[in-house]
Structures are given as structure tokens and as C-alpha cells.
Amino acid sequence: MSMAHRLQIRLLTWDIKDTLIKLRRSVGEEYASKAQAHGLVVDATALEQAFGQAYRTQSHNFPNYGQNCGLTSRQWWKDLVLHTFHLAGVPDAQAIIPVADHLYEDFSSPSTWQVLEGAETTLKECRKRGLRLAVISNFDRRLEDILVGLGLREHFEFVLTSEAMGCPKPDPRIFHEALQLAHVEPAVAAHIGDSYPCDYQGARAVGMHSFLVVGPEPLHSSVRDSVPKEHILLSLSHLLPALDLLEASSPLVTSLTGK
């Protein structure tokens, strides 16, 4: 006997930074504040710009926290801080070392982060529906403790970071590992994140469904033209209606059942 049924999503995997949590203050403000605590006055805007440049360089030269280059994630971040302050006009690396240590601890603390509006409610509603939740994040080893401190860890079956996995999104291996850990097929899993290449495209490349969380800024035209509007979430409160629409609009799947 055959039965026709609609797609039913069983697993939701989540990006974390700028999807569920964000920094309370900008990187530039955090860096300037910690520098001031160590007797250095550096402009926050200059630090913000320098950080962007230093981060791109560091990520390019030493991908995924420098794992393949013998670096620890802590050393990777400390080197990034030194480079940032150097670009912002502080040539004395020795003066920055205690600032870098302070910043590493600071960014490990849940108090530096805040849960985005609607995140807690959405996660609870997803669990009420019986959806299984997990994390796929390009984060380092500090993420577990941050999520515990923010009261979010309890919502997730597991937290998979790029540091633990050895490769970052959009590498298909990190998505495949999550699916394997959850014992689900990609067709019944969906990923939610704010990065078009890492989250939206990365998940779809392995056969998962995906939703792109967008901020108030207009989407780049290439992204806007590539992502169906029903996959775009203007806020997390749009997720469950978007899931309903996805399941309702999916073609009927026929499966054979027998007694």
C-alpha cells in the first residue's frame, strides 16, 4: 500500500553570530575600551576599520584559526589584535600583549554578547513543534560556554564549530558531519544563517533547505536575485511561517508501507 505525504523538516541547524547573538558593542568600541584600561588611547573608529582589514588578512593567511599552520585559536586571535592595533597606529607590540589577553577573555564572556530579539522565543517555538535543533558555526572553542552563559545551549542537541571540525562553512564536510551526528537526510534538514555564501549556499550545496536572515540594509542585487523571497527572513519571527510555506509547497512524496 502506498501513502503520499508532504515534506516534513525534522532538523534545523543554526548559525550563531549575527543570527542568534551579537556583540553588545562594536569591535572598535570593545578594543578601544580595553586599550584605555591599559593606558592607551586609540580611536574606536580607526580600530573598527583596522580590525576589518586585519581580519580579512588573517583569515586569508591562516584560515580557520590557523589550525593547519600550528596555531591555537587563542594565538590566532592575539596575533589578530596585535595586527589591528598596528594598523590603527600603535607600533609598540609589547604594549598591546596585555590588551590582547584581556580581549580574548572578554570575548569569551557571555556578558560581551547579547541574544538577538526573537531568538529565544523562536527556538522555544521550534522545539515545541518537535523540531530538533543544532548549531553549525564558524566559531572557536569558546562558543559552548558563551551559549551556556546566555541560556541558549539547552536548545541544541549539539554545537559543531569550525575549529572542532577542522574546516569552516561553506565547506560541505561541516554540513555533512552535522547531518551524520543527527542521523537525518539533507532533504529533511534546513539551515538558518546570515551569510549568503557560508550559510545559504553552503547548506543548499549539500541538499539541505536554507533560510537567509537579513538585516535592515538592502540586499546586494546578486544575492537578492539568487534567493527566493520565501527563503529570506526579515526577522526570526518569520521562520516558522516560512517553514510552513516550504512544507506546504513541497511536492507530494509517495512511500510504500506494508503491514
Side-chain angles (χ1 to χ4, degrees), residues 13-63:
T13 60
W14 294 81
D15 171 54
I16 290 292
K17 185 176 177 293
D18 298 326
T19 296
L20 293 173
I21 71 173
K22 69 172 184 177
L23 289 168
R24 287 189 180 275
R25 299 193 291 180
S26 72
V27 170
E29 288 168 336
E30 284 290 339
Y31 278 38
S33 169
K34 292 299 166 289
Q36 196 162 13
H38 290 268
L40 293 166
V41 177
V42 192
D43 179 64
T45 306
L47 283 166
E48 185 80 26
Q49 291 172 341
F51 173 82
Q53 189 181 335
Y55 185 87
R56 284 189 295 275
T57 303
Q58 185 82 335
S59 299
H60 180 266
N61 293 341
F62 308 102

Side-chain angles (χ1 to χ4, degrees), residues 71-86:
L71 290 177
T72 62
S73 54
R74 186 182 185 117
Q75 188 60 52
W76 189 93
W77 279 111
K78 285 174 69 174
D79 291 348
L80 174 59
V81 172
L82 294 176
H83 189 198
T84 298
F85 276 91
H86 182 78

